[in-house]
Amino acid sequence: MHETTRKPAFPEDFHWGVATSAFQLEGSPNADWSTWDPVLSDIPEITNHYTVFREDLKLLKELGVNSYRFSIEWSRIQPRPDTWDEEAIAHYQEIIDILRSYNIEPMVTLHHFTHPKWFLERTPWHQTASIEQFLRFTEKMVSTLKNVRYWITFNEPYVILIGGYLDGCTPPGLRDVPRSLVALKNIFTCHGKAYDIIHRYVPDAQVSIAHNMSVFAPWKKWNPLDRLLKKSANYFYNHSIINAFRTGVFIVKFPFSRAVEIEVPIKDKLDFFGVNYYTRIHLRFNPFKKMGVELRYSDIDGHGLTNLGWEVHPRGLAKVLRYASRLDVPLIITENGIATHDTEEKVKYMKRHVDVVERCLKDGLDVRGYYYWTLIDNYEWLQGLDARFGLYKVDFKTLKRSPTSAATYYAYLIQSRSRI
Ligand code: BGC
């Protein structure tokens, strides 16, 4: 059916947005990540967004989005433990003010993977003192920034823990199961306490985390070990966190050992649930791989590849939204996108995922928003500058932005599916 003739299922106040993160657009000399990935020494300011942000925000107007998710770079705000950089705070306030003047609802992420260098050196997440540090930063932001209702405390806590404490590919670069469990407790304790702090300052705030959800499949369907792995991954990655928000207890199960129970003060500390969804992952046991698991992001026949090798699997979005609906809070898709140089692929990806959202709405799921990842091409963690997720293409030599057909299409999609 042609877009303009269909009856939209999207509610009037549905959030049509795009999502970004500060570090991926603007870097920061004081962030742990700035020296972690050598690629960044050649292009420390990445897209130079910190300077040309006013121009970039105009692109949001061009797209016609009514909401924008962005993050605050903690290492700019607090370059040293005892220093608050008021200019940096004013910078992020200006972003909020510009958004408000465009009638665009800001959604602010407090932690999107990066930390001030001093934080990881002195009080990394496996130390109890990390909690106080993060909460000081939270309180400073929430008490200073005006006109923000939507807050994300942590982007993808499990990804922080897997990368930083199990796989070791991201700061602090550890492979240490006991410490990962302490870090888990501390990060989620921060979420629970930050939830209360935010509500103290902004009584009608809407607070969540953004959780990376995936669907899993056995590498070989006939292999019972692969099937077992799929089941465990699905439980851990998708369900353990949902259960913890319902009960206040994380139950972490490692193969061949007793389950660990970790109490965290997060029961019901959610006003909505942020879901980041990209792809499906195939799994198999492989004792020669880290943690004994081999992951494959493409489908069996190698179809559906993007330039990060991720399979396009829109049905998975419906599945994870159904899982998340057990939380009984509104759901917001806080990230969904594809990295590809082929913008027609990008258009197709977006359309197929928005179609899934529409079907979920018709089936009665309470989905309140969709944020495309991302506005302009940016730095992709550990993958450099070639993962083209942007609606606008960036030439990394001149830093010029130009619209792709996906930007035009998203603007059209918003118009045609909104009830206006
Ligand atoms: C992260 C983004 C990242 C995107 C694509 C998400 O997991 O929140 O920062 O760029 O995935 O990999």
Side-chain angles (χ1 to χ4, degrees), residues 155-220:
N155 182 67
E156 302 184 347
Y158 275 18
V159 176
I160 306 171
L161 293 165
I162 293 169
Y165 283 89
L166 295 176
D167 182 86
C169 59
T170 64
L174 301 177
R175 291 177 68 186
D176 185 328
V177 173
R179 281 183 171 169
S180 76
L181 298 177
V182 181
L184 178 143
K185 185 171 172 78
N186 291 344
I187 288 178
F188 282 95
T189 300
C190 279
H191 169 79
K193 290 183 184 256
Y195 179 94
D196 293 339
I197 294 174
I198 297 170
H199 276 278
R200 196 164 353 110
Y201 286 91
V202 187
D204 66 343
Q206 296 290 300
V207 184
S208 180
I209 60 163
H211 180 45
N212 186 291
M213 298 186 85
S214 266
V215 286
F216 297 94
W219 195 300
K220 299 261 185 253

Side-chain angles (χ1 to χ4, degrees), residues 21 24 112-113 155-156 212 276 278 308 310 335 373 378-381 389:
S21 90
Q24 289 177 274
H112 198 123
F113 295 162
N155 182 67
E156 302 184 347
N212 186 291
N276 294 353
Y278 289 87
L308 284 181
W310 294 359
E335 284 180 34
W373 180 272
N378 62 5
Y379 163 74
E380 174 62 19
W381 316 104
F389 277 100

Side-chain angles (χ1 to χ4, degrees), residues 106-129:
M107 178 185 277
V108 171
T109 309
L110 287 167
H111 184 283
H112 198 123
F113 295 162
T114 52
H115 312 90
K117 282 181 181 150
W118 60 260
F119 174 83
L120 277 198
E121 280 154 18
R122 292 178 166 210
T123 54
W125 288 117
H126 57 275
Q127 294 191 14
T128 317

Side-chain angles (χ1 to χ4, degrees), residues 225 228 253-259 285:
L225 283 180
L228 178 68
K253 298 174 190 159
F254 290 101
F256 315 115
S257 58
R258 277 206 1 241
F285 273 114

Side-chain angles (χ1 to χ4, degrees), residues 272-291:
F272 67 96
F273 191 60
V275 173
N276 294 353
Y277 175 80
Y278 289 87
T279 190
R280 169 167 73 170
I281 302 171
H282 287 82
L283 301 168
R284 75 164 159 207
F285 273 114
N286 182 342
F288 301 108
K289 292 283 174 186
K290 278 188 198 166
M291 297 188 281

Side-chain angles (χ1 to χ4, degrees), residues 4 42 44 116 131 138 156 191 211-212 235 240 265-267 281 300 327 330 349 352 373 387 413:
T4 46
D42 294 331
I131 300 174
T138 300
E156 302 184 347
H191 169 79
H211 180 45
N212 186 291
Y235 164 75
S240 66
I266 59 168
K267 185 170 174 325
I281 302 171
I300 299 284
L327 285 161
Y349 181 98
R352 292 179 69 193
W373 180 272
L413 201 57

